[in-house]
Amino acid sequence: MRSSSSLAFFLFLGAAAAGPVQKLSPLSLTTLKKVPRGGGLIADYNKALESKPILTKATTSLVGFGVSDALTQLFIEKKDFNLMRLIKMASFGFLLHGTTGHFFYNFLDSVMAGATPAFVAAKVAIDQTLWAPVFMCMFFTYMCLFDGTPELILAKIKQDTFTAVKGSWVTWIPAHTINFAFVPPSQRLLYINAIQIFFNMFMSLLGNKKVD
């Protein structure tokens, strides 16, 4: 309320300084109505999705994974900040999460269009029984390759994949039920990345855990 009052006060001063208020002609009113208004951040995001869907989703994942790792390092681990680790997580989001997510969820929506209870349940089941283990193996492989330790890939997958998948079940079964039931297909990856900011804090810890 205070900001609205202040705005009205300054508008009044501006009008007083400009002199008597002149009546607008019908032509002036018509011109004012035609002045385009900004659509905001969501509208700009939707336009980017339409024009460059893969790049937009990949960039969204880059931001999501980068923010998650930064939060993990700053507020959970509280150690010296590791910039290369941040780049590792963010680049995985850009190169693999955003791109594979685009094609995988588009495929699910193409073969099971609609949000019937049967389709929602089937999509969640496929995502969490088939895609989740594949995604976790892909994630741990990328982590090891980025660190220059390809010889640890199999050991890392054996050590941490089931833990990661169990965490995925706890988080993504309810989250994807909402996702497939209510979220428009074009917005799926944005919704996923919003939730994944918190889930990826768990993945950041697990992905950077040393192989026993």
Side-chain angles (χ1 to χ4, degrees), residues 6-180:
S6 301
L7 178 60
F9 176 71
F10 283 116
L11 288 174
F12 172 77
L13 288 182
V21 176
Q22 297 181 358
K23 186 177 180 181
L24 291 174
S25 66
L27 179 60
S28 300
L29 291 173
T30 302
T31 304
L32 285 174
K33 290 179 181 179
K34 292 181 179 180
V35 174
R37 297 180 179 180
L41 185 61
I42 297 298
D44 291 339
Y45 183 80
N46 287 333
K47 289 180 182 177
L49 275 176
E50 292 176 4
S51 60
K52 297 179 180 179
I54 297 177
L55 179 61
T56 302
K57 292 175 183 179
T59 305
T60 304
S61 292
L62 180 151
V63 174
F65 273 77
V67 168
S68 296
D69 185 67
L71 291 174
T72 302
Q73 292 196 55
L74 292 172
F75 299 107
I76 296 179
E77 296 175 329
K78 298 180 181 179
K79 301 176 182 177
D80 292 338
F81 194 84
N82 187 334
L83 180 60
M84 288 306 295
R85 172 176 150 175
L86 174 67
I87 294 172
K88 176 173 63 175
M89 292 291 292
S91 63
F92 173 82
F94 182 80
L95 295 173
L96 291 175
H97 181 263
T99 52
T100 59
H102 168 81
F103 291 108
F104 175 72
Y105 293 113
N106 279 2
F107 168 75
L108 278 186
D109 289 325
S110 69
V111 297
M112 289 180 281
T116 64
F119 278 174
V120 170
K123 288 179 181 180
V124 172
I126 292 170
D127 182 82
Q128 290 303 300
T129 59
L130 299 178
W131 178 243
V134 171
F135 176 82
M136 297 309 174
C137 291
M138 182 171 61
F139 174 76
F140 293 130
T141 298
Y142 186 88
M143 295 294 104
C144 291
L145 289 175
F146 190 97
D147 289 338
T149 56
E151 70 278 4
L152 297 179
I153 291 174
L154 289 179
K156 182 67 175 174
I157 289 174
K158 290 179 181 178
Q159 174 182 286
D160 293 327
T161 295
F162 188 56
T163 301
V165 171
K166 286 192 296 183
S168 178
W169 292 342
V170 171
T171 304
W172 292 110
I173 288 177
H176 275 316
T177 300
I178 296 171
N179 180 20
F180 294 126

Side-chain angles (χ1 to χ4, degrees), residues 176-195:
H176 275 316
T177 300
I178 296 171
N179 180 20
F180 294 126
F182 302 110
V183 179
S186 63
Q187 304 291 336
R188 292 211 195 286
L189 217 60
L190 177 62
Y191 167 84
I192 289 169
N193 275 291
I195 295 190

